[in-house]
Amino acid sequence: MKLKPMYFEDFSVGMSFDTDSTLISKEEIVEFASKYDPQTFHLDEDEAKKGPFGELTSSGFMTLGKSFTQIFNTDIFNGTSMGAWGLDELRWTKPVYPNDTLKTRVEVLETKKSTKNPSKGTVRLKQTVTNQTNEVVMTWISNSMLKTKE
């Protein structure tokens, strides 16, 4: 879903939006894990069967990256993002398996204009990632810096 780019002033507490869905493939799970999270339950189907989840699962960091990409693919921060100063309360609540379909819901928790630099403000956003059966698989809060209209 493409959205109009938004400046700091365009965000208000309580507003929300959803991203498009993304299918997670076995190949990308293994490829990501081989580079960044080489645990056997992310790399090898046979070994994963013996592991804590009973089958191959996505790295939580891959899930975070997918959610991040989904949000930026909406174009909501296109030309207005100035980065972020951190993430809070990252929680992986359910494993992500091959062929799961994920989407992210973004909710505005807080907005705060910079007192030092009026050309930017922070928007605190809660991201809730769900799978195809609407089970929550991950939540995280971002502290995004955005340009103001000034």
Side-chain angles (χ1 to χ4, degrees), residues 29-49:
I29 288 173
V30 172
E31 181 181 350
F32 183 93
S34 67
K35 292 179 183 178
Y36 306 111
D37 193 353
Q39 298 183 73
T40 56
F41 47 85
H42 300 319
L43 290 169
D44 183 282
E45 284 183 284
D46 291 330
E47 288 297 316
K49 288 177 186 175

Side-chain angles (χ1 to χ4, degrees), residues 21 44 48 57 62 64 79 85 92 94 106 117 119 122 127 137 145-146:
S21 298
D44 183 282
T57 60
M62 182 182 134
L64 179 62
W85 53 265
W92 294 296
K94 183 169 178 43
V106 181
N117 183 348
S119 67
T122 297
Q127 283 75 210
V137 300
M145 292 183 295
L146 298 173

Side-chain angles (χ1 to χ4, degrees), residues 6 9 26 30 43 62-63 85 96 101 108-109 126 128:
M6 294 175 65
E9 295 89 347
K26 177 177 80 171
V30 172
L43 290 169
M62 182 182 134
T63 305
W85 53 265
V96 172
T101 301
V108 179
L109 298 178
K126 179 179 182 183
T128 302

Side-chain angles (χ1 to χ4, degrees), residues 91-106:
R91 300 290 183 267
W92 294 296
T93 56
K94 183 169 178 43
V96 172
Y97 301 102
N99 299 313
D100 276 356
T101 301
L102 305 181
K103 72 176 178 181
T104 302
R105 180 168 192 78
V106 181

Side-chain angles (χ1 to χ4, degrees), residues 2-114:
K2 294 292 184 184
L3 300 171
K4 184 177 100 178
M6 294 175 65
Y7 288 85
F8 168 78
E9 295 89 347
D10 297 324
F11 288 87
S12 60
V13 173
M15 73 181 296
S16 63
F17 65 92
D18 294 315
T19 67
D20 288 333
S21 298
T22 305
L23 179 67
I24 305 300
S25 73
K26 177 177 80 171
E27 293 76 19
E28 67 185 327
I29 288 173
V30 172
E31 181 181 350
F32 183 93
S34 67
K35 292 179 183 178
Y36 306 111
D37 193 353
Q39 298 183 73
T40 56
F41 47 85
H42 300 319
L43 290 169
D44 183 282
E45 284 183 284
D46 291 330
E47 288 297 316
K49 288 177 186 175
K50 303 174 203 169
F53 309 109
E55 64 180 288
L56 196 70
T57 60
S58 169
S59 166
F61 295 105
M62 182 182 134
T63 305
L64 179 62
K66 286 291 189 178
S67 176
F68 190 79
T69 301
Q70 287 176 331
I71 294 163
F72 276 89
N73 283 344
T74 68
D75 284 345
I76 200 162
F77 299 125
N78 188 13
T80 63
S81 174
M82 299 177 78
W85 53 265
L87 302 178
D88 298 323
E89 301 178 32
L90 172 61
R91 300 290 183 267
W92 294 296
T93 56
K94 183 169 178 43
V96 172
Y97 301 102
N99 299 313
D100 276 356
T101 301
L102 305 181
K103 72 176 178 181
T104 302
R105 180 168 192 78
V106 181
E107 179 185 356
V108 179
L109 298 178
E110 181 181 348
T111 62
K112 185 176 181 184
K113 192 169 185 177
S114 173

